[in-house]
Coordinates of all heavy atoms in Angstrom, one line a residue:
A1 N 86.4 32.4 -127.4 CA 87.0 31.1 -127.7 C 86.1 30.0 -127.2 O 86.0 28.9 -127.9 CB 88.4 31.0 -127.0
F2 N 85.4 30.2 -126.1 CA 84.5 29.2 -125.6 C 83.1 29.6 -125.8 O 82.7 30.7 -125.5 CB 84.7 28.9 -124.1 CG 83.7 28.0 -123.5 CD1 83.7 26.7 -123.8 CD2 82.8 28.5 -122.5 CE1 82.7 25.8 -123.2 CE2 81.9 27.7 -122.0 CZ 81.8 26.4 -122.3
R3 N 82.3 28.7 -126.4 CA 80.9 28.9 -126.7 C 80.0 27.8 -126.0 O 80.3 26.6 -126.3 CB 80.6 29.0 -128.2 CG 81.3 30.1 -128.9 CD 81.2 29.9 -130.4 NE 81.7 28.7 -130.9 CZ 81.0 27.7 -131.5 NH1 79.7 27.9 -131.7 NH2 81.6 26.6 -131.9
S4 N 79.1 28.2 -125.2 CA 78.2 27.2 -124.6 C 77.4 26.4 -125.6 O 76.9 25.3 -125.2 CB 77.3 27.9 -123.5 OG 78.1 28.5 -122.5
S5 N 77.1 27.0 -126.7 CA 76.3 26.3 -127.7 C 77.0 25.3 -128.6 O 76.4 24.6 -129.3 CB 75.7 27.4 -128.7 OG 76.7 28.1 -129.3
S6 N 78.4 25.3 -128.5 CA 79.1 24.3 -129.3 C 79.0 22.9 -128.7 O 78.5 22.7 -127.6 CB 80.6 24.7 -129.3 OG 81.1 24.5 -127.9
I7 N 79.4 21.9 -129.6 CA 79.3 20.5 -129.1 C 80.2 20.3 -127.9 O 79.8 19.7 -126.9 CB 79.8 19.6 -130.2 CG1 78.8 19.5 -131.4 CG2 80.1 18.2 -129.7 CD1 77.5 18.8 -131.0
F8 N 81.4 21.0 -127.9 CA 82.2 20.9 -126.7 C 81.6 21.5 -125.5 O 81.6 21.0 -124.4 CB 83.6 21.5 -127.0 CG 84.5 21.6 -125.8 CD1 85.0 20.5 -125.2 CD2 84.7 22.9 -125.2 CE1 85.8 20.6 -124.0 CE2 85.5 23.0 -124.0 CZ 86.1 21.8 -123.5
G9 N 81.0 22.7 -125.7 CA 80.5 23.5 -124.6 C 79.1 23.0 -124.1 O 78.8 23.2 -122.9
S10 N 78.4 22.2 -124.9 CA 77.1 21.8 -124.5 C 77.0 20.3 -124.2 O 76.1 19.9 -123.4 CB 76.0 22.1 -125.6 OG 76.3 21.4 -126.8
I11 N 77.9 19.5 -124.7 CA 77.9 18.1 -124.5 C 79.1 17.5 -123.9 O 79.1 16.9 -122.8 CB 77.6 17.4 -125.8 CG1 76.2 17.7 -126.4 CG2 77.7 15.8 -125.7 CD1 75.9 17.2 -127.7
E12 N 80.3 17.8 -124.5 CA 81.5 17.1 -124.1 C 81.9 17.4 -122.7 O 82.3 16.5 -121.9 CB 82.6 17.3 -125.1 CG 82.3 16.6 -126.4 CD 83.2 17.0 -127.5 OE1 83.8 18.1 -127.5 OE2 83.4 16.2 -128.5
I13 N 82.0 18.7 -122.3 CA 82.5 19.0 -121.0 C 81.6 18.5 -119.8 O 82.0 18.2 -118.7 CB 82.6 20.6 -120.8 CG1 81.3 21.3 -120.9 CG2 83.7 21.1 -121.7 CD1 81.4 22.8 -120.6
F14 N 80.3 18.3 -120.1 CA 79.4 17.8 -119.1 C 79.4 16.2 -119.0 O 78.7 15.7 -118.2 CB 78.0 18.3 -119.3 CG 77.9 19.8 -119.2 CD1 77.7 20.6 -120.3 CD2 78.1 20.4 -118.0 CE1 77.6 22.0 -120.2 CE2 78.0 21.8 -117.8 CZ 77.8 22.6 -118.9
N15 N 80.1 15.6 -119.9 CA 80.2 14.1 -119.9 C 81.6 13.6 -119.6 O 81.9 12.4 -119.7 CB 79.7 13.6 -121.2 CG 78.2 13.6 -121.4 OD1 77.5 12.8 -120.8 ND2 77.7 14.6 -122.1
L16 N 82.5 14.5 -119.2 CA 83.8 14.1 -118.7 C 83.6 13.6 -117.3 O 82.8 14.2 -116.5 CB 84.8 15.3 -118.7 CG 85.2 15.9 -120.0 CD1 86.0 17.2 -119.8 CD2 86.0 14.9 -120.8
N17 N 84.2 12.5 -117.0 CA 84.1 11.9 -115.7 C 85.2 12.3 -114.7 O 86.3 11.9 -114.9 CB 84.0 10.4 -115.8 CG 83.7 9.6 -114.6 OD1 83.7 10.2 -113.5 ND2 83.4 8.4 -114.7
P18 N 84.9 13.1 -113.7 CA 85.9 13.5 -112.7 C 86.6 12.4 -112.0 O 87.7 12.6 -111.4 CB 85.1 14.4 -111.8 CG 83.7 14.1 -111.9 CD 83.5 13.6 -113.3
D19 N 86.0 11.2 -112.0 CA 86.6 10.0 -111.3 C 87.7 9.4 -112.3 O 88.5 8.6 -111.8 CB 85.6 9.0 -111.0 CG 84.6 9.5 -109.9 OD1 85.0 10.3 -109.0 OD2 83.4 9.1 -109.9
K20 N 87.6 9.8 -113.6 CA 88.6 9.2 -114.5 C 89.5 10.3 -115.1 O 90.7 10.0 -115.4 CB 87.8 8.6 -115.7 CG 87.0 7.4 -115.3 CD 86.0 7.0 -116.5 CE 86.7 6.7 -117.8 NZ 85.8 6.3 -118.9
V21 N 89.0 11.5 -115.1 CA 89.9 12.6 -115.7 C 90.5 13.4 -114.6 O 89.8 13.9 -113.7 CB 89.0 13.5 -116.6 CG1 89.8 14.7 -117.0 CG2 88.4 12.8 -117.8
S22 N 91.9 13.5 -114.6 CA 92.6 14.1 -113.5 C 92.8 15.6 -113.7 O 92.8 16.4 -112.8 CB 93.9 13.5 -113.3 OG 94.7 13.5 -114.5
A23 N 92.9 16.0 -115.0 CA 93.1 17.5 -115.3 C 92.7 17.8 -116.7 O 92.6 16.9 -117.6 CB 94.6 17.8 -115.1
V24 N 92.4 19.1 -117.0 CA 92.0 19.6 -118.3 C 93.0 20.7 -118.7 O 93.1 21.7 -117.9 CB 90.6 20.1 -118.3 CG1 90.3 20.7 -119.7 CG2 89.6 19.0 -118.0
H25 N 93.7 20.5 -119.8 CA 94.7 21.5 -120.2 C 94.1 22.2 -121.4 O 93.7 21.5 -122.4 CB 96.0 20.8 -120.6 CG 96.8 20.3 -119.5 ND1 97.9 19.6 -119.6 CD2 96.5 20.4 -118.1 CE1 98.4 19.2 -118.4 NE2 97.6 19.7 -117.5
I26 N 93.9 23.5 -121.4 CA 93.4 24.3 -122.5 C 94.5 24.9 -123.3 O 95.4 25.5 -122.7 CB 92.5 25.4 -121.9 CG1 91.4 24.9 -121.1 CG2 92.0 26.3 -123.1 CD1 90.6 25.9 -120.3

């Protein structure tokens, strides 16, 4: 289900800001 090569896996998850995002629901 999760691929490190995808846009989500390579870009989006590393640009979420932990100071702004409180939780991630999969």
Side-chain angles (χ1 to χ4, degrees):
F2 172 68
R3 298 171 300 117
S4 298
S5 60
S6 67
I7 290 289
F8 172 69
S10 63
I11 295 176
E12 289 170 336
I13 61 172
F14 295 110
N15 284 284
L16 294 172
N17 187 344
D19 294 328
K20 294 168 57 179
V21 175
S22 58
V24 178
H25 291 175
I26 302 169

